Amino acid sequence: MSRARARDASGSSGSSTSSGVLAVPGVPTDGQGADAAAPPADGRGADLATPPGDGDATRPPRPRPRPRPRPGDAGAWAELLRLPALFTVPGDALAGAAAAGVRPGPRTLLAIGSSLCLYEAGMALNDWADREEDAVERPHRPLPSGRIRPAAALTAACGLTGAGLLLAARAGRPALAVAAPLAATVWAYDLALKHTPAGPAAMAAARGLDLLLGAAATGGGTRAALPSAALLGSHTLAVTAVSRRETTGGSVLAPLAALATTGALTRLVTHRRTRLPAGRWAAAAPGLPGSSPAEGRRPRGTAALATALGAAYAATAARPYFHAALNPSPPLTQRAVGGGIRATIPLQAALAARSGATATSLLVAALAPAGRMFARRAAMRKVSIT
């Protein structure tokens, strides 16, 4: 009888063990301390409904290791070279050709290619020169984040500079005579002048030389394009001055000065009349009725186009400058820089229309929506020249 009672007392435990429910490590099976509510000694859980296993099911999942950045991927290079900003470059050469009074041709395309290469060389060299500063202020950029090696960025800058000079040489000696100092200015700005008081002036000189490159390649001279180069350089000077406080903010004078510069440039572009060399009107504005070359007046349609493009330029640049002047925080300062860069395209188009080149001005103006579409596709919301 005692043996039967013992078997009856341990029957529930034994039957459960045979069904595998208590096959959890650490649960006693000899009936000693067989309280179902008592947790096992090793702390691996007391739920009797827990399926058999090695105890890992109750442990918290291990965090998955983050994927390491792949060096040299396409997205990193697109970010390094600021590809959406490329749409602001072709208008320099086209506006230069219009200012020279010559219809764009194959040499103009070579000048545009040279400008694109030198512009991208400056972008790669800029991040290479600022890699230590970016490691603190902009660790997400391609070089400090490890997505692109510094040696690769420097090699790209050298290769793009050589390609730009080669394309300028193909466009003729006058174009190479402008491209060489342009390349020297780009390298001097990134390596030595950027953080000095001469930095904005160097950047303005580079943009002005880029416009003169188009004039030299297309028309063989730069004298007629000097006024347009000065206006474009003034705009670049204002944008660069604002960009110097892009990460720290706190500057009210720079956005105010840029706002005043925008107003002055808008008035000059929409009211001043450009006198082209005799015989150049037919090339600059083919097929348009207008006054004689001696009078140097724009046709009415071209004047209205220049006014509209000047207004578009002012609307694009003035609003973010005004906001940055009211609140010079880093985000609003960065928006002001981006607005100034985007305003470069309508300014280039207005300069072409000011010179009487209606078709060229419309072509340049079309680069603005194309650039916005590309920026959305490339998922690059912030464009910076610093």
Side-chain angles (χ1 to χ4, degrees):
M1 291 293 294
S2 61
R3 293 180 180 177
R5 291 176 181 177
R7 285 194 301 269
D8 294 338
S10 60
S12 60
S13 177
S15 61
S16 299
T17 304
S18 62
S19 62
V21 174
L22 292 182
V24 179
V27 178
T29 59
D30 56 357
Q32 298 177 1
D35 186 0
D42 59 358
R44 294 186 180 179
D47 188 3
L48 296 183
T50 303
D54 58 358
D56 291 339
T58 60
R59 296 177 181 177
R62 296 180 180 179
R64 296 182 179 179
R66 296 181 179 180
R68 296 181 179 180
R70 294 177 299 175
D73 62 344
W77 281 102
E79 184 178 349
L80 175 72
L81 300 177
R82 278 68 150 193
L83 291 186
L86 275 180
F87 289 83
T88 68
V89 178
D92 290 345
L94 293 173
V102 182
R103 185 182 303 178
R107 292 181 182 271
T108 311
L109 295 178
L110 290 173
I112 292 175
S114 176
S115 298
L116 292 172
C117 290
L118 295 177
Y119 185 87
E120 293 293 43
M123 290 297 182
L125 186 64
N126 173 81
D127 278 23
W128 181 85
D130 290 349
R131 61 192 184 279
E132 296 181 358
E133 176 184 340
D134 288 343
V136 178
E137 297 182 352
R138 310 174 186 91
H140 61 278
R141 283 193 169 181
L143 266 64
S145 64
R147 289 175 290 162
I148 295 179
R149 297 181 178 90
L154 182 60
T155 302
C158 295
L160 288 168
T161 302
L165 293 176
L166 180 61
L167 290 172
R170 293 289 302 273
R173 290 185 178 180
L176 182 61
V178 177
L182 172 58
T185 303
V186 170
W187 279 73
Y189 173 82
D190 286 330
L191 298 181
L193 301 177
K194 180 179 180 180
H195 299 291
T196 68
M203 181 63 76
R207 184 64 85 165
L209 287 170
D210 200 33
L211 187 145
L212 295 178
L213 175 60
T218 308
T222 60
R223 184 175 180 179
L226 289 175
S228 295
L231 294 177
L232 185 60
S234 299
H235 166 73
T236 306
L237 178 69
V239 178
T240 309
V242 175
S243 71
R244 293 168 75 89
R245 295 293 187 91
E246 190 178 22
T247 59
T248 60
S251 175
V252 177
L253 295 179
L256 286 177
L259 188 61
T261 302
T262 301
L265 291 177
T266 301
R267 179 170 180 81
L268 290 174
V269 168
T270 56
H271 289 81
R272 290 288 297 271
R273 295 176 178 177
T274 301
R275 292 181 178 272
L276 296 177
R280 294 290 181 91
W281 271 109
L288 288 178
S291 56
S292 63
E295 294 176 350
R297 296 179 180 179
R298 295 173 294 179
R300 291 183 178 180
T302 307
L305 180 60
T307 301
L309 292 171
Y313 160 70
T316 305
R319 185 175 181 180
Y321 287 157
F322 181 71
H323 289 168
L326 292 178
N327 180 15
S329 62
L332 291 181
T333 303
Q334 293 167 7
R335 291 182 184 179
V337 175
I341 295 175
R342 288 188 293 271
T344 303
I345 296 178
L347 177 60
Q348 295 164 338
L351 290 173
R354 177 176 181 260
S355 301
T358 303
T360 300
S361 64
L362 292 175
L363 176 62
V364 174
L367 293 173
R372 287 193 296 268
M373 293 176 60
F374 182 83
R376 286 194 295 266
R377 177 177 297 182
M380 299 181 68
R381 298 180 179 179
K382 189 181 80 168
V383 179
S384 171
I385 60 176
T386 59

